[in-house]
Amino acid sequence: MPLPLVTRKSLRDNEEKLKENVEKIQQALGVEWTYEFDFETILAKCTEEYVKNDLGGLFYKDIAGNIADCIERCSKDEMSKEALVEANTAQKIVLIPNDDKKFNAYWKYEFVNGELRVYFKPNICNVSDLSYFKLETIIPSPGVYSLPARINLKEKQEKFTESLEKVKAVTKMEWTLDESSLETLYPSLDKSYQERIGDIFSEILDYACENIVKRCGDEMVCEAVQEACPSGKIVFKFDAKQSEYWKWKFADGELHISFKSICNTSDNCYYDFEKLL
């Protein structure tokens, strides 16, 4: 059954807007993505008169435009951009009305079977929400970390390095962070902390390194640290059973820093590790 004349005219009059939004995505990602609309199904479920009368303005201009803005903003980070391209192998955005009463959001982005799907309630509103959604939070990511966590760690890499270099300058030996230890403890963190793992542990490492630098100003302490931690490796561990928030231990030629909760992180700046040597 053909669409009503007023609907077809609206689609025709807004075709250029749709092309502009497709072009915006291509400029952002370097590949062409297409929008997919099943307008017969959409009109059957979205019965408001304004949808039929301005279908082109609503979907080609407003909805497609806000989605394009969201993708453009997300793709400004190179890691997010690569992940977007890898996640949407079909290179298409499918708009799907969802009249399930359990569907409690006006809009929902989801990657399914290599395509980006955008679900929406039949009573279309809050279209601008599409523009501000943090798309990186739902992009599939390989390994343990979510994409936001990977981005945050990357952003803090320089701070990790700077902290370790301070210890190296005082102890005259190489120091490293056991990055695999962060992967191991990552699932134990609250979700709100997981996306900020780089912020949190770069700060904790800096506290710990500041402590080492300060105490290793004493040559005898410095020599003891060199003997106790010849590998210069710092390992973070989660231990819910320990009584202290933070606990240091020299083991297997490494420095192990364990915690029961992300709390009182500055304790690491003052922890008396000399009693362990």
Side-chain angles (χ1 to χ4, degrees):
M1 181 177 177
L3 298 176
L5 177 61
V6 65
T7 302
R8 285 183 279 132
K9 287 177 66 178
S10 177
L11 292 173
R12 179 202 64 191
D13 294 344
N14 286 279
E15 281 182 358
E16 194 59 36
K17 290 295 183 181
L18 180 62
K19 291 178 182 178
E20 290 175 5
N21 291 319
V22 169
E23 177 64 22
K24 177 180 285 189
I25 294 173
Q26 185 172 5
Q27 289 291 328
L29 298 178
V31 295
E32 183 176 343
W33 287 9
T34 58
Y35 290 90
E36 186 174 293
F37 311 93
D38 180 350
F39 284 129
E40 287 190 12
T41 299
I42 288 172
L43 287 178
K45 292 181 179 291
C46 305
T47 57
E48 297 285 349
E49 196 70 14
Y50 75 90
V51 177
K52 181 182 72 173
N53 292 338
D54 192 24
L55 195 66
L58 183 58
F59 280 87
Y60 284 0
K61 180 170 71 72
D62 296 338
I63 293 175
N66 278 282
I67 292 173
D69 288 343
C70 179
I71 292 170
E72 182 183 50
R73 185 173 59 255
C74 181
S75 66
K76 288 180 179 178
D77 176 85
E78 194 62 31
M79 190 179 290
S80 296
K81 177 180 175 180
E82 291 176 4
L84 271 173
V85 173
E86 291 174 3
N88 192 357
T89 54
Q91 297 181 336
K92 64 180 180 180
I93 304 163
V94 185
L95 279 293
I96 303 172
N98 190 334
D99 55 4
D100 186 341
K101 292 183 179 179
K102 295 181 180 179
F103 182 66
N104 57 10
Y106 285 111
W107 302 93
K108 180 183 177 181
Y109 286 94
E110 185 177 17
F111 286 95
V112 181
N113 299 328
E115 64 185 27
L116 176 56
R117 296 182 182 178
V118 181
Y119 300 95
F120 58 93
K121 281 187 173 184
N123 57 324
I124 299 172
C125 64
N126 295 359
V127 175
S128 63
D129 287 357
L130 287 165
S131 178
Y132 302 107
F133 183 78
K134 293 184 177 181
L135 199 56
E136 62 272 15
T137 61
I138 59 131
I139 301 174
S141 179
V144 176
Y145 298 127
S146 67
L147 181 58
R150 287 171 57 203
I151 293 171
N152 190 237
L153 282 167
K154 179 183 175 183
E155 290 174 344
K156 294 300 175 179
Q157 193 59 50
E158 187 174 341
K159 186 175 180 180
F160 282 122
T161 301
E162 288 176 355
S163 297
L164 294 169
E165 284 295 319
K166 292 176 186 177
V167 182
K168 175 184 175 181
V170 173
T171 61
K172 310 303 180 187
M173 58 183 283
E174 293 290 338
W175 287 80
T176 60
L177 169 65
D178 183 357
E179 295 182 3
S180 65
S181 70
L182 294 183
E183 291 186 6
T184 301
L185 64 83
Y186 176 77
S188 70
L189 300 176
D190 290 340
K191 188 168 180 60
S192 61
Y193 289 154
Q194 287 182 341
E195 294 185 3
R196 297 172 47 234
I197 186 171
D199 292 326
I200 293 168
F201 280 91
S202 64
E203 181 179 65
I204 295 168
L205 180 67
D206 194 54
Y207 284 142
C209 288
E210 182 180 337
N211 192 356
I212 296 170
V213 167
K214 178 176 60 180
R215 293 179 183 273
C216 282
D218 184 312
E219 186 176 348
M220 188 176 291
V221 175
C222 188
E223 290 176 356
V225 169
Q226 291 168 341
E227 292 174 3
C229 189
S231 70
K233 182 182 289 186
I234 299 176
V235 181
F236 285 110
K237 293 186 174 183
F238 170 67
D239 184 356
K241 296 180 179 180
Q242 69 183 41
S243 57
E244 305 162 274
Y245 281 115
W246 296 92
K247 184 178 180 180
W248 290 33
K249 179 181 179 181
F250 290 98
D252 304 321
E254 304 169 338
L255 171 57
H256 295 180
I257 301 177
S258 59
F259 64 97
K260 70 174 183 178
S261 175
I262 301 297
C263 183
N264 296 353
T265 58
S266 63
D267 287 357
N268 289 287
C269 194
Y270 309 104
Y271 192 92
D272 183 7
F273 64 82
E274 292 182 36
K275 62 187 178 182
L276 308 174
L277 299 171

